[in-house]
């Protein structure tokens, strides 16, 4: 019997499939909860949350990162089940990406070119790149542990998907503190922080998700 056929036979076991889904949901909730608590006890929420919610840039930043986190979590769950194709879930990631891209274009139209660099660099670029992976550590560990209950066909890809989910969860949490609201800042420095977690997930997945 070929390995692919064996994997698909195992995937048809409904109790295992339900158990895996439950484990992944627990991992997502627990990892996100730890990230939120870490944010609150360290840097805290931004002090002007009530007033800044009146601005479109803040709503786009928080809304797009939350949507990206939800869609990335769906991808991680999907890729952990053998015999499934994550193509649709991958394609859905284009929605929040398109929202951010549109926000960047609109800001570059509305803001003089002389201000682009300042908005791109923001005030805390280095901190963002470091702190997003720190916030992602708990979700990444939890998701990798949960994926061991599944049967991912490609350990590296599954680890990268876990990293993407963990990184976007961390970005969505960090957005509630981050005072840099420019879409130029978000698409650059948030993306770099997330990419670091994706790479870490890929490397870890190749070691811990082999079965």
């Amino acid at each position: 019997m070929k390995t692919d056929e064996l994997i698909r036979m195992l995937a048809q076991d409904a109790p295992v499939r339900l158990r895996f889904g439950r484990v992944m949901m627990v991992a997502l909730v627990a990892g996100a909860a730890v990230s939120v608590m870490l944010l609150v006890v360290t840097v805290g929420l931004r002090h002007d949350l009530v007033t800044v919610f009146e601005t479109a840039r803040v709503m786009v930043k928080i809304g797009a990162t939350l949507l990206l986190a939800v869609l990335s979590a769906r991808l991680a769950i999907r890729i952990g089940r053998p015999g499934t194709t994550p193509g649709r879930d991958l394609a859905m990631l284009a929605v929040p990406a398109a929202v951010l891209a549109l926000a960047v274009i609109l800001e570059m139209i509305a803001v003089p070119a002389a201000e682009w660099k300042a908005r791109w660099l923001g005030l805390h670029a280095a901190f963002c790149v470091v702190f997003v992976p720190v916030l992602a550590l708990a979700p990444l560990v939890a998701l990798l542990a949960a994926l061991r209950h599944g049967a991912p066909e490609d350990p590296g890809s599954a680890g990268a998907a876990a990293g993407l989910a963990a990184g976007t969860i961390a970005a969505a949490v960090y957005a509630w503190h981050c005072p840099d609201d420019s879409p130029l800042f978000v698409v650059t420095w948030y993306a770099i922080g997330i990419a670091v977690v994706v790479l870490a997930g890929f490397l870890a997945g190749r070691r811990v998700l082999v079965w």
Side-chain angles (χ1 to χ4, degrees), residues 26-37:
V26 169
L28 287 165
V29 172
V34 172
S35 290
V36 170
M37 287 188 292

Side-chain angles (χ1 to χ4, degrees), residues 85-175:
T85 54
R88 181 178 179 183
D89 298 278
L90 278 170
M92 289 296 292
L93 296 176
V95 175
V99 170
L100 287 171
L102 178 60
V104 167
I105 293 171
L106 291 176
E107 178 158 85
M108 293 179 75
I109 293 173
V111 174
E115 297 183 21
W116 291 355
K117 183 177 180 180
R119 298 211 176 197
W120 169 64
L121 289 174
L123 299 174
H124 305 287
F127 181 75
C128 174
V129 171
V130 172
F131 200 55
V132 166
V134 170
L135 290 175
L137 182 59
L140 179 59
V141 171
L143 286 170
L144 288 173
L147 282 168
R148 289 177 61 85
H149 290 262
E153 297 179 5
D154 185 336
S157 296
L164 180 62
T168 52
I169 288 170
V173 172
Y174 178 66

Side-chain angles (χ1 to χ4, degrees), residues 6 17 34 49-50 84 97 101 115 120 124 145-146 151 163 165 203:
L6 176 60
R17 184 161 42 195
V34 172
L49 266 180
V50 175
T84 58
E115 297 183 21
W120 169 64
H124 305 287
L203 296 175

